């Protein structure tokens, strides 16, 4: 591009439009992160559903694969950060939203794992216990450990939030649609047995991350091919 | 009466650089060079002119042992760009 070429007003306007368009086209999410999380959350949710539905044990907590996915995600983030040569205004905001999402998921897991024991202790100090009473008295009453009711519904609700924000900020329809359907899945999960929450959560993972990830990946590879 | 177009911006490469930087928070020298198809020498000169005018900030640092030049539009640069586009629109009655 020659420096000193003087432009007509029309040419100037066209140049501005062309450059703004180039910036828009230069942004390409590789889709790997979405594919990774969509896959692991779907597998963990679906295996949990099958485990509750058919009562089998796989010998380890399937949700550990979700924890394990943090390692490749950190590697991918560092790699993408290194290869990125332009930073958009919304990058920091989107990163913050997903960081808060991660903290929220951690908070929910923490709540789920501690609230039962803590409540048991508190109510025992108050001098009462929770009991399970069968209406038709087929079984004797038994003491019940307090627990969070249908907790996976809350996870489904939380899955929708960062996905909708990302979809709206990036104007990426597949994520917007995925998030909206996930809100519907959350509502459905409030009316069904807990085991089906996992099935709905698996569908949410596919809609929020896996399918948008496939679309992003396809776009990214297409752009990469075009730039060669 | 038409406003005079800003001579700093009314030049092909400098306008291209500003149009790129208006859409991003910051960009590397390589990104700008790639998008404008300019030569490194020419681009360096024009970036310096924009910097001297106070329209962009240029930060030179090392990233993984390689020199890296990062450019960012300043608030003055944004105002100048907006005024330039407004003046263009008046000319063209867009």
């Amino acid at each position: 591009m020659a420096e000193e070429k003087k432009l007509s007003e029309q040419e100037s306007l066209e140049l501005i439009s062309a450059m703004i368009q180039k910036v828009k086209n230069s942004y390409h999410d590789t889709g790997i992160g979405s594919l990774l999380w969509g896959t692991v959350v779907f597998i963990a949710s679906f295996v949990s559903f099958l485990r509750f539905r058919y009562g089998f044990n796989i010998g380890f907590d399937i949700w550990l694969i979700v924890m394990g996915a943090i390692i490749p995600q950190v590697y991918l983030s560092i790699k993408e950060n290194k290869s990125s040569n332009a930073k958009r205004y919304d990058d920091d905001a989107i990163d913050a939203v997903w960081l808060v999402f991660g903290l929220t998921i951690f908070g929910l897991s923490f709540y789920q794992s501690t609230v039962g024991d803590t409540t048991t202790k508190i109510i025992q100090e108050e001098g009462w216990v929770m009991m399970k009473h069968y209406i038709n008295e087929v079984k004797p009453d038994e003491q019940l450990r307090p627990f969070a009711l249908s907790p996976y519904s809350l996870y489904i609700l939380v899955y929708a939030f960062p996905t909708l924000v990302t979809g709206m900020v990036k104007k990426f329809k597949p994520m917007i649609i995925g998030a909206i359907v996930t809100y519907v899945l959350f509502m459905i999960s409030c009316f069904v047995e807990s085991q089906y929450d996992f099935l709905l959560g698996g569908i949410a993972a596919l809609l929020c991350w896996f399918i948008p990830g496939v679309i992003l990946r396809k776009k990214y590879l297409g752009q990469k091919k075009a730039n060669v | 009466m038409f406003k005079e177009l800003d001579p700093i911006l009314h030049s092909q490469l400098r306008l291209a650089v500003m149009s790129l930087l208006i859409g991003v928070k910051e960009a590397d020298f390589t990104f700008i060079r790639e998008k404008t198809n300019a030569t490194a020498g020419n681009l360096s000169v024009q970036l310096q002119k924009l910097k001297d005018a106070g329209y962009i900030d240029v930060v030179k640092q090392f990233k993984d042992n390689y020199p890296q030049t990062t450019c960012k539009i300043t608030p003055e640069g944004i105002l100048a760009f907006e005024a330039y586009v407004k003046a263009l629109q008046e000319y063209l009655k867009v």
Side-chain angles (χ1 to χ4, degrees), chain A residues 162-178:
Chain A
T163 311
L164 188 56
V165 173
T166 305
M168 287 169 85
V169 171
K170 302 278 187 199
K171 295 182 176 61
F172 185 47
K173 268 188 187 168
M175 275 194 169
I176 296 174
I177 295 166

Side-chain angles (χ1 to χ4, degrees), chain A residues 1-10 12-13 15-16 19-20 22-23 26 81-89 92, chain B residues 5 10-12 14-16 19-20 22 24-28 31 35-37 42 46 49 63-64 81 84 88 91-92:
Chain A
M1 190 175 277
E3 167 249 326
E4 288 305 337
K5 187 190 168 193
K6 289 292 171 195
L7 301 158
S8 71
E9 288 75 20
Q10 186 63 41
S12 292
L13 216 52
L15 177 64
I16 293 169
M19 286 298 143
I20 290 172
K22 273 191 179 181
V23 169
S26 72
N81 199 27
K82 272 186 183 174
S83 63
S84 161
N85 48 18
K87 204 168 188 184
R88 285 161 55 117
Y89 284 103
D92 288 344
Chain B
L5 291 171
H10 199 55
S11 148
Q12 194 181 20
R14 289 195 294 270
L15 182 60
S19 306
L20 283 178
I22 199 88
V24 292
K25 194 179 170 190
E26 58 185 37
D28 287 357
F31 177 85
K35 298 297 169 198
T36 57
N37 293 322
N42 191 10
Q46 302 316 316
K49 284 185 183 174
K63 190 179 175 185
D64 300 326
F81 187 81
Y84 181 83
L88 274 184
Y91 271 104
L92 297 164

Side-chain angles (χ1 to χ4, degrees), chain A residues 102-161:
Chain A
L103 292 172
T104 307
I105 292 290
F106 173 77
L108 271 177
S109 308
F110 184 74
Y111 161 78
Q112 214 183 321
S113 61
T114 57
V115 77
D117 288 339
T118 309
T119 309
T120 304
K121 205 176 154 193
I122 290 169
I123 64 177
Q124 267 177 357
E125 279 169 9
E126 288 175 358
W128 61 283
V129 290
M130 281 178 80
M131 299 296 288
K132 190 175 185 179
H133 174 70
Y134 293 88
I135 295 166
N136 51 11
E137 296 183 356
V138 286
K139 284 184 190 173
D141 288 356
E142 53 190 77
Q143 194 178 328
L144 201 63
R145 178 182 173 273
F147 59 94
L149 294 169
S150 193
Y152 201 62
S153 293
L154 299 176
Y155 286 85
I156 298 172
L157 177 64
V158 174
Y159 292 165
F161 157 69

Side-chain angles (χ1 to χ4, degrees), chain B residues 46-75:
Chain B
Q46 302 316 316
L47 288 178
Q48 189 59 46
K49 284 185 183 174
L50 289 169
K51 189 190 171 195
D52 292 342
Y55 291 175
I56 63 168
D57 278 333
V58 179
V59 178
K60 291 183 180 184
Q61 59 192 1
F62 279 88
K63 190 179 175 185
D64 300 326
N65 295 325
Y66 287 97
Q68 185 194 36
T69 303
T70 308
C71 303
K72 189 179 179 178
I73 198 163
T74 61

